[in-house]
Amino acid sequence: MLWQGDKAVVKKGLPHDQLSPAWQILMLGDGSPTRHLQLLTREPTEVDVIEMSLVGMANDGAPDVISYVPGPRLRRQVWLRTASGQRLAYATSWWEASHVDEYLKNRSLPIWASLANLRTELYRDIQGIYYGWSPPLEAAFGQKGPFWGRHYLFWHHGKPLTLIYEVFSPYLMRYLGPMRSETSHR
């Protein structure tokens, strides 16, 4: 991990020489990343489910706010990609196992699509942001790091619905420009 920021950093935003404005909209905005990816690439955002498994009450290496999600929990790991196959993000989500089927009726759909189909009202509460290296993600994305990631809680009717951790591919620079804005030192 090269750098990480908490909820206060998320609220304030980052200097543009650390994270450009376009990347901040993706990373710190409370809109749907799958919808944003679709708008950027002009292709449907599809999901490749890596795995879904029960993790019980374990914290499972998740951010500390995992404790907000009632257990026992189910972990879902996915790749978000374009319809043509370009991987754009990796995501892990943790759900209360007894309720996951209510919200993810078709587990091959992005979470945003599943919840939009149900007209589920949500609040995306971004809790933290990360910048760091990951050789497995370099191999999977076919892109050199470092990578930007974040985690957030979805709240529904005042209760936490799921915790989501996402990491985005540098491939997105094709659409968003450089991750950092150049600054003048005059």
Side-chain angles (χ1 to χ4, degrees):
M1 183 76 53
L2 295 172
W3 180 87
Q4 71 181 51
D6 61 12
K7 194 170 180 167
V9 171
V10 169
K11 184 176 181 180
K12 182 179 176 187
L14 298 171
H16 293 166
D17 63 348
Q18 186 175 5
L19 187 63
S20 74
W23 278 85
Q24 287 198 55
I25 290 169
L26 177 67
M27 297 299 303
L28 305 178
D30 59 7
S32 165
T34 53
R35 176 74 173 135
H36 292 160
L37 294 174
Q38 184 173 321
L39 293 170
L40 288 170
T41 65
R42 297 181 42 111
E43 289 188 57
T45 302
E46 297 184 356
V47 168
D48 291 327
V49 177
I50 300 167
E51 65 91 31
M52 290 184 72
S53 58
L54 291 171
V55 295
M57 296 303 292
N59 96 345
D60 196 39
D64 290 343
V65 292
I66 187 74
S67 62
Y68 289 24
V69 178
R73 293 182 280 269
L74 177 131
R75 176 188 61 224
R76 176 181 187 242
Q77 295 183 77
V78 301
W79 293 110
L80 298 177
R81 62 170 175 80
T82 61
S84 62
Q86 179 65 51
R87 286 182 179 166
L88 303 174
Y90 162 82
T92 301
S93 56
W94 291 269
W95 299 79
E96 183 177 1
S98 63
H99 293 294
V100 70
D101 290 331
E102 293 173 38
Y103 298 101
L104 297 181
K105 294 185 186 307
N106 180 346
R107 294 181 179 191
S108 66
L109 288 178
I111 291 171
W112 168 78
S114 294
L115 297 175
N117 287 342
L118 295 170
R119 306 268 192 258
T120 305
E121 293 182 29
L122 298 168
Y123 170 64
R124 185 184 319 263
D125 185 9
I126 302 169
Q127 298 280 313
I129 185 169
Y130 308 91
Y131 186 63
W133 298 98
S134 171
L137 286 178
E138 283 188 0
F141 285 137
Q143 301 283 318
K144 293 282 186 198
F147 304 97
W148 281 99
R150 66 181 185 168
H151 74 273
Y152 53 90
L153 289 163
F154 266 154
W155 294 84
H156 179 56
H157 295 306
K159 296 179 181 171
L161 177 64
T162 184
L163 169 63
I164 299 176
Y165 172 81
E166 297 167 328
V167 180
F168 295 92
S169 171
Y171 180 84
L172 292 170
M173 287 189 291
R174 176 179 200 173
Y175 306 101
L176 296 170
M179 291 180 185
R180 298 171 183 231
S181 295
E182 297 299 321
T183 58
S184 174
H185 297 290
R186 293 182 193 182

